[in-house]
Amino acid sequence: MEDKPTNVKEFEEIARRNLPKMYYDFFRGGAEDEYTLRENVMAFQRIKIQPRVLVGATSIDMATSLLGYHLSAPILVAPTSGHKLAHIEGEVATARGAAACNTIMVLSFSSSCSLEEVASSCNAIRFFQLYVYKRRDISAKLVQRAESSGFKAIVVTVDTPRLGRRESDIKNKMIPPQSANLDGLLSFEVDENKGGSRLEAFASQTLDPSLSWKDIGWIKSITKLPILVKGIVNGEDARKAIEVGASGIIVSNHGGRQLDYAPATISILEEVVQAVSGAVPVLIDGGVRRGTDVFKAIALGAKAVMVGRPIIYGLAAKGEKGVIEVIQMLKNELELTMALAGCPSVKDITRNHVRTPEDGIR
Ligand code: FNR
């Protein structure tokens, strides 16, 4: 295949060719049987779009807003770790790509460029993703650093009390990507005598499995920034998140990397949206590979989607330019989808524009 992809999925093959196997497998992989990883994509494909015709739209407006911040389209960059494993410029290139597309990047806690480096790389609205460590002082320090570096929200990931069992990482003895944010705060010795995923060993030393609902209150007590809870997959937990003061919900199963056989995110989006009933914005990630997927998520009540792997594959293929191409492709596809479905603006996309398996496909 020549290096001129015509859709987002084709970036994966270029990334595979460009990357050492250990890193490609790390980016691509999911937990155990990878059922949830596959289902995230397949469940989008089971939803049909019901177009309306003759709406007389000469232009299409994809713009929207999130927590008061403008987005050129309802597409954000999901937090993913270790971008220097994909490209030498790491998260700085990703941040510049996202900024060029006028969208928000959520920077991973485990980024390979420091959050300060990313903050000073270009002017843009950015959010910071937080893992809560047993060493609460480290998590608190990173929240404070993010706040003083101008990040606008904290995205707390709640689906990772322990790391999911990712078998390709076990086979490859995956070494954790260097986390620049932890420099000087935490050191990790790789035990050469032990087999298995070193990433898993690192995670079990650091992640706090005792994290509970009351800790969202603790995070709120150490920052003025709004908090989005990432990793919700049912309506009841969504309601609890609002009770403890979340300003947004992210429906996510960590791209199928944590609990295998968790439901595909798009299949439970509507349950969460109904439970939230407009109190806070609901975002979704997992399996978004086409503009039609973005359209379907919006129709089922999401405020915006986040995209994980395709961004990394774009970065691995062509650095910042690849990130821009991936986001731009998704935007172009969404724009065309809206035109063909008879929706001149994002608010025109309604539940009536899709048919899910639960509706019975008509
Ligand atoms: C992730 N994800 C993730 N999530 C998070 O909260 N903090 C993190 O550091 C990471 N790191 C990470 C690394 C890699 C390589 C992947 C693929 C994913 C999960 C991510 O935010 C998001 O939920 C999924 O990637 C969305 O699914 P898709 O778009 O990859 O299908």
Side-chain angles (χ1 to χ4, degrees):
M1 195 209 314
E2 66 159 321
D3 283 4
K4 249 204 160 318
T6 48
N7 63 58
V8 157
K9 286 179 259 186
E10 290 171 4
F11 277 93
E12 179 170 351
E13 177 53 21
I14 306 173
R16 193 186 63 76
R17 278 191 266 127
N18 285 0
L19 294 175
K21 182 177 183 317
M22 178 191 279
Y23 298 162
Y24 169 73
D25 286 355
F26 166 69
F27 290 134
R28 187 211 62 82
E32 297 184 353
D33 293 336
E34 301 189 335
Y35 172 83
T36 298
L37 174 67
R38 287 189 300 278
E39 268 296 292
N40 276 348
V41 171
M42 298 293 289
F44 269 112
Q45 295 179 355
R46 287 184 210 113
I47 298 170
K48 308 293 180 277
I49 296 175
Q50 183 68 59
R52 301 301 305 268
V53 296
L54 299 176
V55 297
T58 48
S59 67
I60 301 294
D61 181 8
M62 292 184 287
T64 188
S65 69
L66 177 63
L67 305 177
Y69 299 110
H70 176 265
L71 290 164
S72 64
I75 301 169
L76 286 80
V77 175
T80 53
S81 55
H83 289 196
K84 278 193 180 169
L85 302 185
H87 188 270
I88 191 166
E89 290 170 8
E91 288 80 3
V92 162
T94 315
R96 290 193 176 132
C101 297
N102 264 312
T103 195
I104 294 176
M105 171 181 178
V106 184
L107 181 70
S108 167
F109 182 92
S110 313
S111 55
S112 46
C113 299
S114 74
L115 65 91
E116 287 83 1
E117 237 182 298
V118 173
S120 60
S121 67
C122 59
N123 231 345
I125 302 298
R126 272 178 290 266
F127 297 169
F128 182 71
Q129 177 262 324
L130 178 72
Y131 280 129
V132 178
Y133 274 9
K134 289 173 192 156
R135 289 265 317 266
R136 294 290 171 102
D137 59 314
I138 292 180
S139 293
K141 176 97 191 140
L142 262 64
V143 168
Q144 279 144 16
R145 281 168 53 190
E147 189 165 349
S148 55
S149 301
F151 286 77
K152 300 297 185 200
I154 299 295
V155 171
V156 55
T157 299
V158 296
D159 58 15
T160 312
R162 291 162 56 174
L163 204 73
R165 192 178 149 81
R166 304 166 192 169
E167 295 184 358
S168 46
D169 291 348
I170 295 171
K171 288 195 180 78
N172 293 332
K173 301 188 174 56
M174 175 66 194
I175 297 165
Q178 173 103 19
S179 179
N181 293 324
L182 299 176
D183 283 354
L185 292 173
L186 190 73
S187 61
F188 174 66
E189 302 297 323
V190 173
D191 183 347
E192 295 296 340
N193 300 317
K194 280 202 176 148
S197 163
R198 314 295 162 83
L199 177 63
E200 203 282 323
F202 177 71
S204 70
Q205 272 183 32
T206 51
L207 294 171
D208 186 353
S210 79
L211 190 69
S212 71
W213 287 110
K214 68 175 173 9
D215 295 311
I216 305 294
W218 170 70
I219 301 167
K220 279 177 76 78
S221 77
I222 59 167
T223 181
K224 291 199 240 1
L225 298 177
I227 290 165
L228 292 93
V229 178
K230 173 175 183 278
I232 298 287
V233 286
N234 65 71
E236 225 168 281
D237 279 350
R239 271 192 293 268
K240 278 193 183 162
I242 296 169
E243 271 165 36
V244 296
S247 301
I249 304 285
I250 304 176
V251 175
S252 175
N253 53 35
H254 217 110
R257 293 162 79 81
Q258 285 297 106
L259 175 65
D260 201 19
Y261 295 95
T265 47
I266 193 67
S267 71
I268 39 86
L269 172 64
E270 208 171 13
E271 175 186 326
V272 173
V273 166
Q274 280 167 6
V276 167
S277 134
V280 298
V282 176
L283 276 63
I284 178 172
D285 72 22
V288 174
R289 302 292 180 264
R290 286 282 188 188
T292 47
D293 297 337
V294 184
F295 182 96
K296 291 169 184 179
I298 303 298
L300 291 169
K303 183 74 181 164
V305 305
M306 304 203 305
V307 181
R309 292 180 185 81
I311 300 289
I312 304 175
Y313 297 146
L315 181 68
K318 305 182 185 186
E320 176 185 337
K321 189 164 163 281
V323 172
I324 295 173
E325 280 182 30
V326 164
I327 299 172
Q328 202 51 54
M329 267 183 189
L330 289 172
K331 283 171 70 170
N332 291 346
E333 289 179 359
L334 175 62
E335 203 252 356
L336 180 61
T337 304
M338 289 168 70
L340 294 176
C343 299
S345 75
V346 170
K347 69 173 173 7
D348 297 316
I349 305 173
T350 70
R351 181 62 178 82
N352 288 334
H353 289 93
V354 289
R355 297 277 183 269
T356 68
E358 290 72 35
D359 298 335
I361 307 284
R362 278 168 282 166

